[in-house]
Amino acid sequence: MIQRIAAKFIWNDLGKNKVIVLLGARQVGKTTMLEDLIKIKTKTLLINCDNIDDRLMIEERSTTELWHLISPYDIVLIDEAQRVKNIGLTIKMMGDLKACTTCVVVTGSSSLELADEINEPATGRVIEHRLYPFSLTELASHTSQREEKRLLEQRLIFGLYPEIVTNQVDAKRNLMNLTNSYLYKDLFTFKGIQKPDVLQKLVRALALQLGNEVSYNELSNLVGIDKETVENYINLLEKCFVVFRLESFSRNMRNEIKKGKKIYFYDNGIRNAVISNFAPIALRTDVGALWENLMVCERIKRNAYMGRYAQLYFWRTHDQKEIDLIEDEDGVMSTFEFKYHPKSKAQIPKSFAQNYPSCSFEVVTPDNFWEFIQLNNNLS
């Protein structure tokens, strides 16, 4: 079994009298990881909230009823908890059972209802973790860096979802099934989106603009919905862990783009399934965008697993000078350019270097990417 880095942190948090909340997209391995993590506990209760009978066990229950339900167990795992009505209040009550020694772990495949409701009523009673598709660091710990570098083209095309990594023979079929069956499930369930074809058209438009700055006005005209709906749908896609945004970096240069945004996919395989393109790298025109998407995602995983709270941006000017990624951590800025072809040359724009002279600059290629994504030795 490929070990997940997040499991170490969750295990360390189990005895802190807090409810552990694990968020992440469907099929990234939340349940598998937790079941492996807690199997050494002798008394475990698994509540799968996709099952209505299980859901009713905890839905709209009193504190006393919850006490009688969970207190006989060492650990209670509540899976797909966003299905539960008023889940935030239920978690609050479980967190208030101070005399109860049961460890409660809650998972959710979206932050639509789960995180939104937890933020208020359960404040101070939860510890939140995120689980992503496999990181290249996790895979290299299972095999080797050399092996993962050999498989890099495969990862660029098919991505890093556990089912895809462990079953490459059926990768195309499984990715298409994952995209068609699970990608929008929580959106349709919780937000009552009436036109799934419009949402799918928007996701496809975002996939085709990967690596480029996006305009809500252009997307509005392309998809046939108003700008506000485009922004709302993208917000929802973020909360389902399908895509994420990078805002443009701007401080003191006159011609910096101040309100730009790029949108990336959390997984390359999902992005390629959306546009139904699994062609090999040699036949693609989007290899640069795929490389950029993979590296930005790996940096996000690295920072999350290292407990780093760096802010990520891109930078661009009106005269088309640009930097792919700026990382700002506690006032220290690092800049990166992503080039799939190692011989491609890039340098920091002179105007940026003059205005932000203390920034480092690095070109990330398949020859040196491990330094960019690797965790500290004690974490990886």
Side-chain angles (χ1 to χ4, degrees), residues 67-209:
W67 165 271
H68 285 297
L69 174 66
I70 72 173
S71 59
Y73 299 94
D74 295 322
I75 190 164
V76 173
L77 172 57
I78 304 173
D79 204 12
E80 300 298 347
Q82 76 279 357
R83 298 287 193 194
V84 179
K85 184 178 180 181
N86 296 321
I87 181 60
L89 182 58
T90 299
I91 291 174
K92 175 183 181 297
M93 291 190 291
M94 288 182 174
D96 284 340
L97 297 174
K98 299 299 183 184
C100 182
T101 59
T102 304
C103 298
V104 179
V105 182
V106 176
T107 80
S109 59
S110 73
S111 56
L112 289 172
E113 298 296 321
L114 185 59
D116 289 348
E117 293 193 23
I118 285 175
N119 285 340
E120 283 302 322
T123 300
R125 298 168 179 86
V126 304
I127 301 175
E128 184 177 305
H129 295 269
R130 292 281 179 93
L131 190 67
Y132 302 92
F134 282 137
S135 69
L136 292 176
T137 298
E138 288 170 324
L139 296 181
S141 296
H142 185 71
T143 56
S144 67
Q145 288 188 6
R146 180 179 180 180
E147 177 67 3
E148 282 310 307
K149 186 172 182 179
R150 184 183 72 81
L151 294 172
L152 192 56
E153 179 174 332
Q154 193 166 287
R155 307 306 188 208
L156 282 167
I157 296 170
F158 296 105
L160 294 160
Y161 267 75
E163 183 181 11
I164 308 306
V165 169
T166 57
N167 183 13
Q168 284 292 323
V169 174
D170 295 321
K172 290 182 183 179
R173 182 176 65 182
N174 290 338
L175 270 171
M176 295 304 295
N177 180 61
L178 179 62
T179 302
N180 294 330
S181 300
Y182 293 103
L183 197 61
Y184 318 107
K185 187 172 182 179
D186 291 322
L187 283 172
F188 297 155
T189 300
F190 292 112
K191 293 300 179 180
I193 294 176
Q194 299 298 317
K195 295 181 178 180
D197 56 324
V198 173
L199 179 64
Q200 291 170 345
K201 190 175 181 181
L202 174 61
V203 175
R204 180 176 172 81
L206 294 174
L208 291 171
Q209 295 188 31

Side-chain angles (χ1 to χ4, degrees), residues 146-359:
R146 180 179 180 180
E147 177 67 3
E148 282 310 307
K149 186 172 182 179
R150 184 183 72 81
L151 294 172
L152 192 56
E153 179 174 332
Q154 193 166 287
R155 307 306 188 208
L156 282 167
I157 296 170
F158 296 105
L160 294 160
Y161 267 75
E163 183 181 11
I164 308 306
V165 169
T166 57
N167 183 13
Q168 284 292 323
V169 174
D170 295 321
K172 290 182 183 179
R173 182 176 65 182
N174 290 338
L175 270 171
M176 295 304 295
N177 180 61
L178 179 62
T179 302
N180 294 330
S181 300
Y182 293 103
L183 197 61
Y184 318 107
K185 187 172 182 179
D186 291 322
L187 283 172
F188 297 155
T189 300
F190 292 112
K191 293 300 179 180
I193 294 176
Q194 299 298 317
K195 295 181 178 180
D197 56 324
V198 173
L199 179 64
Q200 291 170 345
K201 190 175 181 181
L202 174 61
V203 175
R204 180 176 172 81
L206 294 174
L208 291 171
Q209 295 188 31
L210 188 69
N212 297 317
E213 188 179 353
V214 300
S215 163
Y216 288 168
N217 285 326
E218 290 180 8
L219 289 170
S220 171
N221 294 330
L222 181 64
V223 179
I225 53 178
D226 60 72
K227 177 183 173 182
E228 290 71 24
T229 303
V230 168
E231 186 169 8
N232 181 50
Y233 278 12
I234 290 174
N235 288 337
L236 296 177
L237 288 165
E238 284 190 287
K239 291 182 177 181
C240 282
F241 310 110
V242 178
V243 302
F244 62 92
R245 278 177 288 190
L246 287 192
E247 303 293 337
S248 57
F249 178 87
S250 175
R251 287 191 179 171
N252 57 20
M253 287 179 60
R254 181 175 299 178
N255 66 339
E256 287 175 327
I257 293 175
K258 295 178 173 57
K259 295 184 179 180
K261 59 193 70 66
K262 283 186 176 184
I263 295 178
Y264 296 91
F265 281 71
Y266 275 107
D267 184 74
N268 277 36
I270 294 295
R271 182 267 180 177
N272 289 331
V274 167
I275 62 173
S276 301
N277 184 358
F278 300 105
I281 291 298
L283 301 179
R284 305 187 72 107
T285 60
D286 58 356
V287 61
L290 291 176
W291 178 243
E292 181 177 332
N293 194 85
L294 178 64
M295 288 297 100
V296 173
C297 288
E298 290 300 299
R299 191 70 172 192
I300 286 175
K301 297 170 192 176
R302 169 190 181 273
N303 289 348
Y305 294 146
M306 289 180 64
R308 296 183 61 188
Y309 298 99
Q311 298 296 310
L312 302 182
Y313 307 92
F314 75 97
W315 180 82
R316 186 168 292 163
T317 64
H318 290 286
D319 58 354
Q320 304 305 307
K321 301 293 190 301
E322 62 181 316
I323 296 173
D324 288 336
L325 185 69
I326 295 177
E327 184 174 81
D328 185 355
E329 184 177 24
D330 299 329
V332 178
M333 291 199 303
S334 305
T335 65
F336 305 93
E337 192 75 14
F338 304 112
K339 298 292 184 182
Y340 182 71
H341 300 289
K343 294 183 179 180
S344 299
K345 294 184 179 181
Q347 58 184 5
I348 191 168
K350 290 183 180 179
S351 57
F352 186 91
Q354 291 170 354
N355 281 273
Y356 309 104
S358 62
C359 290

